[in-house]
Amino acid sequence: MPRPAPARPTAPQSVDRALEILDAVADAPGPVGAKALARQLGCSLSTVYHLLGPLTARGHLVRTAAGYAPGPRLAALHRSYRRHLGIGPQIAELLPRLRRATGAEAYFTAYRDGRIVMIDSTVPVTDLNHPFPPGPETRAHATAHGKVLLAALPKAARRRYLAEHGMGRFTDRTITTAERFEGEVAQVRGQGLAVSMGEADPEFTCLATTLPRPADGPDGVVQAVSVSLPTSDFRRRHAEIRAALARAAATVLR
């Protein structure tokens, strides 16, 4: 008796699979072949090819001799994302300037609708091992940029965020309770900046401050700029780094 043909994914499953393919290609260090995608996602090769068609046709992916890679449509989506967050050209100038002033990697992060996302940084795109990559932030309670953004929210919204995303322990210095985090929030608000010393990564210290909200900016968006550097360097240069970060944030709306 012949084996029945595998059921074709329903529409929601197809969408989910397509997004998994897009994520897998985006996260890969180089082009990815269809067979490798099928193995990674645990689905049939025919399903992968079925979904790769519209993804390449719409420009979300491109097919190269070595496999599939991110396509030009993603750049347009990123620009649209930045526009909806009210991010102007001054941010593109801010990060390199802060990098030059401090010698530390600089980052731009934003909160909106219950999500914290690192949007840009001065870390080279080829550095895949850097501990703070752009993208959705999953360690907000342990990072300086996450702390300063959460401190800017009303307490109820902050508690909802922590309950939804959790407070995992990444090092022995990570704050893992909401009560203790509230004490950290009070300190952040008093100083106007947040510090994470070995809380997300044991070797790094991060500093962050929020940016002034533009008068015509979208509602519910909070933006932050931050830097990270080895903790040994921070201990020697902490006053210099703090001052440079404050100066950089103050220039955004000038």
Side-chain angles (χ1 to χ4, degrees):
M1 182 177 179
R3 292 172 62 88
R8 193 170 189 172
T10 64
Q13 290 174 329
S14 294
V15 171
D16 197 47
R17 283 292 193 200
L19 293 175
E20 287 180 344
I21 290 173
L22 191 59
D23 285 341
V25 173
D27 292 340
V32 188
K35 291 182 180 179
L37 287 169
R39 288 194 300 269
Q40 182 176 339
L41 274 58
C43 61
S44 69
L45 184 59
S46 61
T47 296
V48 169
Y49 276 124
H50 173 71
L51 297 174
L52 284 170
L55 287 172
T56 54
R58 290 175 176 267
H60 295 289
L61 298 178
V62 293
R63 185 177 183 180
T64 72
Y68 291 87
R73 177 61 183 156
L74 299 187
L77 292 176
H78 183 62
R79 291 185 65 183
S80 176
Y81 180 68
R82 293 171 65 94
R83 184 176 68 252
H84 280 271
L85 286 175
I87 302 171
Q90 69 272 24
I91 297 301
E93 302 167 0
L94 173 66
L95 296 187
R97 185 168 67 245
L98 186 54
R99 175 71 173 82
R100 290 191 297 269
T102 63
E105 300 296 357
Y107 314 85
F108 176 71
T109 312
Y111 167 92
R112 186 178 193 179
D113 297 327
R115 293 181 179 272
I116 292 176
V117 179
M118 183 184 291
I119 298 168
D120 202 0
S121 80
T122 57
V123 178
V125 295
T126 54
D127 187 353
L128 301 181
N129 295 317
H130 189 74
F132 305 109
E137 179 55 83
T138 59
R139 303 172 292 178
H141 64 290
T143 63
H145 51 264
K147 289 182 185 182
V148 80
L149 290 171
L150 291 172
L153 302 180
K155 184 175 181 179
R158 182 167 56 252
R159 287 295 183 102
R160 283 196 301 271
Y161 182 95
L162 295 174
E164 179 179 349
H165 296 274
M167 301 185 70
R169 182 179 295 280
F170 304 106
T171 75
D172 58 2
R173 300 179 66 95
T174 307
I175 297 173
T176 58
T177 66
E179 292 73 19
R180 188 179 165 199
F181 193 80
E182 286 302 313
E184 185 79 357
V185 164
Q187 186 172 346
V188 170
R189 287 179 169 174
Q191 295 181 347
L193 58 81
V195 180
S196 170
M197 185 178 290
E199 296 177 45
D201 184 282
E203 303 297 328
F204 283 84
T205 290
C206 303
L207 286 80
T209 188
T210 52
L211 296 177
R213 184 180 180 276
D216 57 351
D219 292 335
V221 175
V222 188
Q223 301 173 352
V225 63
S226 60
V227 295
S228 75
L229 66 165
T231 296
S232 58
D233 291 347
F234 172 75
R235 293 185 190 278
R236 292 186 295 103
R237 306 173 55 220
H238 63 90
E240 171 195 347
I241 298 295
R242 289 170 185 258
L245 185 65
R247 286 195 303 269
T251 64
V252 171
L253 292 183
R254 290 183 183 175

